[in-house]
Amino acid sequence: MNAPPDPWDGAPCGLVRLRPDGTVSAANKTFLSWVGRPVAEVLGGARFTELLSVGGRIFWETHLSPLLLVDGRFDEVALELRTPHGRLPVLVAATARPDGAGQDEVLVAVSGARERSRYERDLLAARRAAETSTARTAALLAATSALSLGVGVDGVGAALLEASTGRLGAAAASLWLTDPDGLVLRSHLGPASPRPRLRPARKGRSTRSEGEWFVAPLHGQTRLHGFLSLLPSPAPGAEPLDPEIVTAVAEQAGLALDRALLYEQSTSIAHQLQGSLLAGEPPSDPRFDVTTAYHPGVDSLEVGGDWFDAFRVDEDTLALVVGDVVGRGLGAAIAMGQLRSAVRAVAGPGTSPAEVLTRLDRFVEQVDGAVSATLAYVELDLGTGRARYACAGHMPPLLLPVDGPGRLVWGGRSTPLGLGHPGRGRVEDTLELATGDRLLLFTDGLVERRDRSLRTGLATLTAHLDEVGGLPPADLVAALTARLLEGGEGHDDVCVLLLRRLGGG
C-alpha cells in the first residue's frame, strides 16, 4: 500500500518556516524549485529577505516585519523572488506563531502570481483601450455635432477649426479650400500651416504627415473640397493626435461642406429670384427724387410681402406705389411680385387711381395669397404738383410740407384689395405738392407694435419726422427707420418710399 503524499512537499504553493531572526528553517520542494538554489544554501542560514528582490527586501524590513510583530500576520502581499531565470512575481502571506521552544516562528505561504500579473496588465491595457475608445468616440461625436450646426462654408469652417483645437487637441488648425486657381487658405486658428500638397495624395482619404503638420483631405461625395492641417500640441503630457479620428472628422467635414455649398447655391439663387421681384431704380428726372428703404421681416429672405415701385405713367406723370401682401416668407414674396407687375399693367394714361384699384380687385382673385393685400397708389403731375391718390386699406401717406409740420393724409380710403362691397366703388382724393414738399409712403411694419396702439405708432412716426425732417432724403429715411426699428422691435416687413418734388416742368 502506497504512503499518502506529503502535504508539505506536495503543496502547489511554496511553504517556508522562518526562525525569529528571519533565517529559513524549512522549505518545501515547490519553493526550493522556484528559487533554484541548493537546499543546503537555503536551509543553511539564508535569510528569507535574501531570496527577494531589492525592493521586496526593503518592503519586508520596513513594513512587513513590523506588521508581523504588531498583528502577527499579513495576507497577499505582492513581492518578487530572485530566481535563476529572473524575477518571479509572487503573493506572500505570513503568520507568526510560537514554536515548541517558546520562540516565535513565522510560517510563510508563497503563491505564484505570474498569471495574475499578466491578467492585471491585460486588464489595465483593456481599460486604457476602452477609455481611449470612449474619448475618441466622444471627440468624433462632438465634432460631428458642431459640423451639423454650421451654416454655409464659413460656419462649417469655424466649427471644424474649433473642434480641431478643442476636443481633438491640436495646437493650431488651418482650413485650405480648393478654387479654380488651386488651394486657398480660408481660415485658421493659431499659426497658419504651409500649403498642403495636392499630389500624389489627391485621391487618398487618410491623414498624412507633412513635416510637423497632420494633413487630412476633405472629400465630399463627388469632389475634393480641400484639406485640414493640424499641428500637434507640444505641451508636456499632451495626447498625440489620432490620425484615425482626424480622418473620420475630415470625412464628416467633407460631407458638411457638400451641404454648405448646396445651401449657399440655393440661397444665392433664391436671393436673385427675390431681388428680381423688387422694383429697380426709380426713373431719373430733375423734377423729383425718390428715396426708398426695405427691411424684410424674415432673415433668410431679401424680400417678403411688402413692396414699392415708382414708374412713369406718361412723360409728365409719375406713379408711386407701396403695398403689403398678407403673410410672410417666399409665398408672400411671390404674390407681391405678381401684384407689382399687375399695377404696372393696369395703370396708364387716362386711368385714375380709383380705377387702378378696381382693376386690381379682379386680378387678386386669381392670385393665391393676394386677396386682402393693401395698397397706396399715387399719381403725381410733375408739371403742376397735383397728386391724385387712393388707399386700399393701407397706411395713410404722410405729407411733409417744406414750410410746416408733417401731417397724415386720410382721404381716398377704401377696403383692402378683393374685399370691396358690391355697388360701392373705389374712391380717390387729391393734394397739392409745392416745390420742396415731400410725401412719405410706408407699410404698417414701420409703426405697428404688439405693445402699443396703431394711433400711438402713427403719432410716434410724425414726431420723429418733425425732428429729422430737415435732413437730406437719404439721411432722413435712414434716421427714421433706425429710430423706429431700434432694438429689433420691428417683426414685420418694412417698406418706405419718400418722394420729394423739386420743381415744375
Side-chain angles (χ1 to χ4, degrees):
M1 182 174 174
N2 295 331
D6 183 359
W8 173 262
D9 282 328
C13 63
L15 299 174
V16 184
R17 287 195 183 95
L18 305 182
R19 299 184 183 92
D21 62 358
T23 58
V24 179
S25 61
N28 70 350
K29 291 181 179 179
T30 302
F31 181 79
L32 293 173
S33 67
W34 284 349
V35 298
R37 297 190 182 191
V39 175
E41 180 182 338
V42 174
L43 302 182
R47 299 176 65 86
F48 182 73
T49 55
E50 296 174 4
L51 306 176
L52 301 176
S53 64
V54 175
R57 185 184 311 164
I58 294 173
F59 190 69
W60 181 282
E61 293 173 351
T62 59
H63 291 78
L64 301 181
S65 182
L67 193 61
L68 284 171
L69 290 175
V70 175
D71 295 337
R73 64 177 295 155
F74 61 80
D75 298 310
E76 289 196 335
V77 176
L79 297 174
E80 290 180 325
L81 289 178
R82 295 167 56 199
T83 75
H85 307 291
R87 296 179 180 182
L88 175 65
V90 294
L91 295 175
V92 179
T95 300
R97 68 176 187 177
D99 60 6
Q103 296 285 333
D104 282 344
E105 70 172 358
V106 177
L107 296 179
V108 180
V110 183
S111 303
R114 190 185 302 276
E115 293 302 321
R116 176 167 176 168
S117 297
R118 182 180 296 113
Y119 167 76
E120 290 177 347
R121 288 195 301 269
D122 292 345
L123 183 63
L124 181 59
R127 181 178 300 167
R128 288 175 177 171
E131 291 173 351
T132 300
S133 177
T134 300
R136 292 171 61 185
T137 301
L140 180 58
L141 288 175
T144 302
S145 177
L147 290 171
S148 68
L149 298 176
V151 178
V153 173
D154 288 340
V156 170
L160 179 59
L161 296 182
E162 185 176 350
S164 298
T165 55
R167 297 298 295 267
L168 296 187
S174 296
L175 177 63
W176 294 83
L177 296 183
T178 58
D179 71 1
D181 297 325
L183 283 178
V184 175
L185 180 61
R186 185 66 175 254
S187 55
H188 61 94
L189 286 177
S193 73
R195 185 187 303 274
R197 296 192 304 268
L198 279 173
R199 296 194 181 275
R202 186 177 180 88
K203 295 183 179 180
R205 292 182 177 268
S206 299
T207 298
R208 66 179 188 266
S209 296
E210 291 188 7
E212 58 183 345
W213 291 80
F214 281 58
V215 178
L218 305 173
H219 281 281
Q221 291 285 355
T222 60
R223 56 169 289 192
L224 174 68
H225 293 295
F227 295 90
L228 172 66
S229 296
L230 302 182
L231 182 66
S233 174
E239 289 291 331
L241 291 176
D242 189 326
E244 292 185 2
I245 289 296
V246 173
T247 298
V249 170
E251 289 177 347
Q252 294 300 315
L255 297 177
L257 287 170
D258 276 345
R259 297 191 296 271
L261 288 172
L262 180 61
Y263 168 81
E264 290 187 350
Q265 291 169 1
S266 300
T267 301
S268 176
I269 293 171
H271 284 177
Q272 291 179 38
L273 291 175
Q274 294 166 43
S276 68
L277 301 177
L278 286 175
E281 291 295 322
S284 177
D285 194 295
R287 295 173 289 181
F288 69 88
D289 60 33
V290 173
T291 304
T292 60
Y294 187 83
H295 299 275
V298 180
D299 291 339
S300 61
L301 298 179
E302 290 187 350
V303 297
D306 292 15
W307 55 282
F308 61 83
D309 200 0
F311 59 93
R312 292 183 186 275
V313 176
D314 56 35
E315 186 63 26
D316 294 319
T317 305
L318 175 70
L320 304 170
V321 193
V322 169
D324 185 355
V325 172
V326 177
R328 304 176 66 183
L330 195 55
I334 293 172
M336 174 273 288
Q338 293 177 289
L339 184 55
R340 184 180 77 87
S341 298
V343 172
R344 289 198 173 210
V346 301
T351 304
S352 69
E355 291 173 332
V356 169
L357 298 189
T358 299
R359 294 180 181 183
L360 292 176
D361 280 328
R362 294 191 294 269
F363 174 79
V364 297
E365 294 176 355
Q366 307 170 39
V367 178
D368 290 340
V371 173
S372 298
T374 65
L375 185 75
Y377 179 80
V378 180
E379 285 189 359
L380 174 66
D381 187 316
L382 298 175
T384 65
R386 185 170 184 266
R388 296 190 300 171
Y389 66 95
C391 291
H394 200 76
M395 293 288 103
L398 196 152
L399 177 63
L400 292 166
V402 70
D403 57 356
R407 62 182 177 86
L408 295 168
V409 180
W410 288 99
R413 302 194 61 78
S414 55
T415 59
L417 296 178
L419 300 180
H421 298 288
R424 185 181 302 178
R426 295 289 181 177
V427 296
E428 62 181 67
D429 207 341
T430 62
L431 56 89
E432 303 294 331
L433 296 182
T435 299
D437 284 355
R438 291 153 297 172
L439 187 65
L440 183 74
L441 306 180
F442 57 95
T443 56
D444 56 9
L446 186 66
V447 293
E448 281 192 342
R449 300 293 181 270
R450 295 179 180 177
D451 58 351
R452 71 186 186 197
S453 67
L454 178 59
R455 182 184 298 274
T456 301
L458 291 172
T460 301
L461 168 64
T462 304
H464 282 313
L465 277 173
D466 288 340
E467 295 177 8
V468 301
L471 296 175
D475 296 336
L476 185 155
V477 169
L480 183 65
T481 55
R483 289 189 179 196
L484 292 174
L485 302 180
E486 183 179 5
E489 294 180 356
H491 298 287
D492 198 2
D493 298 335
V494 174
C495 185
V496 175
L497 183 151
L498 179 66
L499 164 74
R500 180 173 61 166
R501 184 172 179 239
L502 299 177

